[in-house]
Amino acid sequence: MAKVCELCGKGPIVVNSVTRRGKARAAGGVGRKTTGISKTRQLPNLQRVVINKGGVGVRLRVCTKCMKNAYAA
């Protein structure tokens, strides 16, 4: 599958992108107003990595968190 980490299974998530206008109440304004909400996708940071399995190089798409945990150990 595309855009999915092959080690942990982390994939894209759907989040709301909130657009606001106005000045914050703490900064002396009347408060922030929401003017629009649209859905966006956040994709995992995938990198191609070659991992040796039994003397054979296997190319995987791995998220950077898995890379960090694998190389730290």
Side-chain angles (χ1 to χ4, degrees):
M1 280 174 39
K3 298 182 177 121
V4 174
C5 177
E6 296 181 8
L7 292 182
C8 66
K10 181 190 289 186
I13 60 172
V14 177
V15 296
N16 284 332
S17 175
V18 180
T19 306
R20 293 187 175 100
R21 67 184 301 251
K23 192 172 184 181
R25 195 171 280 190
V30 295
R32 308 261 300 173
K33 272 72 170 186
T34 301
T35 59
I37 299 174
S38 60
K39 291 190 175 193
T40 61
R41 293 177 73 204
Q42 290 182 347
L43 303 176
N45 188 2
L46 297 179
Q47 306 292 326
R48 287 193 182 271
V49 178
V50 177
I51 298 175
N52 289 327
K53 278 193 174 180
V56 178
V58 180
R59 192 183 309 168
L60 299 174
R61 293 184 69 182
V62 180
C63 68
T64 53
K65 186 167 255 188
C66 290
M67 286 174 57
K68 183 176 179 181
N69 292 337
Y71 290 124

